[in-house]
Amino acid sequence: MSRHVHHRPTLMLIAASACWGVGTVISKYALATVEPFFLLSIQLLTSTVFLATVIRVRRVRITWTPELRGLGALGVLNPGLAYALGLLGLSSINASTSVLIWAAEPVLIVLLAWLVLREHIPIALGVPLALAVTGV
């Protein structure tokens, strides 16, 4: 495999982080003129149109099985409720504080996976998590 293939997932995650950061700053700016739930509606509608376009262009067929409907229901939690609460909070605090709070998200996900799913947390992951908690 070429080196390019090995770096692609990392580059995509870095790009996603950049999008998240830019999105947070722009959302904070937008909240000065629009209500949080209106902004959330615009963001979700735009994302849905974008994804529908990608699905159509790539000619992906979707069969609405009970499993897929169940997965779709997760959208109520994330992005639905999570983003709604995030925008409500962002409307009251500065973007820097918001980002620090969101930085705790990965740590909480790992802890929930450990508690709920009984996933093992290896030392190689535990040490960076401890450092992340300290950093936040």
Side-chain angles (χ1 to χ4, degrees):
M1 241 182 244
S2 72
R3 293 184 76 183
H4 174 72
V5 173
H6 290 297
H7 294 300
R8 187 171 183 211
T10 302
L11 293 174
M12 293 177 96
L13 288 170
I14 291 169
S17 295
C19 288
W20 186 266
V22 170
T24 299
V25 171
I26 292 172
S27 293
K28 179 61 181 176
Y29 181 78
L31 286 169
T33 57
V34 298
E35 293 296 318
F37 290 115
F38 179 74
L39 179 58
L40 178 65
S41 300
I42 296 299
Q43 289 174 336
L44 293 178
L45 179 65
T46 305
S47 296
T48 301
V49 169
F50 173 76
L51 291 173
T53 303
V54 170
I55 287 170
R56 183 169 276 274
V57 167
R58 295 194 66 177
R59 294 186 171 103
V60 175
R61 290 196 61 143
I62 297 176
T63 305
W64 290 101
T65 62
E67 293 83 12
L68 189 58
R69 281 192 290 274
L71 290 173
L74 288 174
V76 172
L77 289 176
N78 187 10
L81 186 58
Y83 284 20
L85 293 173
L87 285 173
L88 280 171
L90 184 59
S91 68
S92 302
I93 61 176
N94 62 45
S96 300
T97 302
S98 172
V99 169
L100 285 176
I101 292 169
W102 279 107
E105 178 188 21
V107 175
L108 294 174
I109 290 170
V110 171
L111 291 176
L112 279 172
W114 174 69
L115 285 170
V116 176
L117 303 174
R118 304 285 186 232
E119 288 187 6
H120 174 71
I121 301 175
I123 296 246
L125 181 60
V127 171
L129 279 174
L131 290 171
V133 169
T134 303
V136 172

